[in-house]
Amino acid sequence: MKQSVERTSRWAERCLKAHKNGNKQGLFGIVQGGEYEELRKQSAQDLVSLDFPGYAIGGLSVGEPKDVMNRMLEYTTPLLPEDKPRYLMGVGSPDSLIDGVIRGIDMFDCVLPTRIARNGTCMTSEGRLVIRNAKYARDFRPIDENCDCKVCKTYTRAYIRHLIKANETFGFRLTTYHNLYFLLNLMRQIREAILNDNLLDFREEFFERYGFNRPDAKNF
C-alpha cells in the first residue's frame, strides 16, 4: 500500500506537467492510502503541495464496511483544502451520499443508479423497488408516488415492468432516468438541509423512511 501511495504521488506530478488544457479542465489529485490513516495523511500532503484545482478520495467503497469508509472520510477530508472541491470516487447509494456530505464531500460519481436500473431496480422515497417482480404486473401506480419526474408522471409500474420483461430498451431508459432524477433531487434536498442547518435531522428522517435503520435493510 505504501508503494502504491508513493506511485500515486509520482503520477500526480507527471500528470500536472503533462496537462495542457488547464484553462478548460480541472485536474484532480487522487488521495489514496486504503484503511491506513498515516498513508492517507502522507498522500494528502503530497497532493496538496502540488496545488491541484480539486481533490478526489479514492480507494473507498471497494468492499470495506460502511463504518470503515466513513471513518476514513472523517480522517481524510479535513486534510484537504476547504476552498477546493472534494470528490469521493465510486459512491452513489443514497445513504453514502448523505453520509459523505456530512463528512465534507462535495462531489460524487458512480455507475450504481444506471446499473441497477438495467436490472429493473428503482430508488424510491420508501426504499428500493424491484419493478420486474410479478407483484407489479397490475400495479398502475407510478414508480414513486412522491416523485415528480416525467417517468413517474407518465408511466405505470405495470407498463414499465412489461417493457423490462419483454427486454424493451425503453423500459431500461425509463428506470435509468428515474434513478438519476431521484439522486439529483436527493442532492438538492441535502443542499436545502445544509442551508436550513438541519442536515442531521434530514439524515435520520431519510434513513427511517428509506428503511436503512431496519436490521434487515438491504444495501444496493
Side-chain angles (χ1 to χ4, degrees), residues 107-127:
M107 303 165 60
F108 304 85
D109 84 309
C110 193
V111 301
L112 176 70
T114 54
R115 186 183 67 209
I116 65 172
R118 294 193 297 273
N119 294 322
T121 299
C122 302
M123 299 175 177
T124 80
S125 58
E126 303 297 327

Side-chain angles (χ1 to χ4, degrees), residues 33-155:
E35 301 175 16
Y36 302 96
E37 292 184 357
E38 66 276 13
L39 293 180
R40 288 280 173 185
K41 183 178 182 180
Q42 183 62 56
S43 183
Q45 289 176 340
D46 290 348
L47 297 174
V48 170
S49 71
L50 297 174
D51 195 27
F52 279 92
Y55 297 90
I57 298 177
L60 295 177
S61 189
V62 289
E64 78 281 359
K66 287 287 180 71
D67 63 321
V68 173
M69 182 180 76
N70 288 338
R71 179 168 55 83
M72 285 295 100
L73 287 177
E74 289 172 1
Y75 179 80
T76 305
T77 306
L79 302 174
L80 303 175
E82 292 185 359
D83 60 343
K84 293 186 176 182
R86 295 173 291 196
Y87 152 48
L88 179 57
M89 305 177 72
V91 167
S93 63
D95 57 329
S96 292
L97 294 181
I98 297 173
D99 282 342
V101 171
I102 288 172
R103 290 163 176 81
I105 298 298
D106 303 300
M107 303 165 60
F108 304 85
D109 84 309
C110 193
V111 301
L112 176 70
T114 54
R115 186 183 67 209
I116 65 172
R118 294 193 297 273
N119 294 322
T121 299
C122 302
M123 299 175 177
T124 80
S125 58
E126 303 297 327
R128 60 187 292 169
L129 184 151
V130 184
I131 204 165
R132 63 168 60 246
N133 288 351
K135 65 180 179 179
Y136 301 117
R138 295 187 178 276
D139 190 335
F140 299 106
R141 294 173 293 169
I143 293 175
D144 185 352
E145 293 178 296
N146 297 314
C147 178
D148 62 354
C149 79
K150 66 181 181 181
V151 174
C152 289
K153 287 181 176 179
T154 309
Y155 304 101

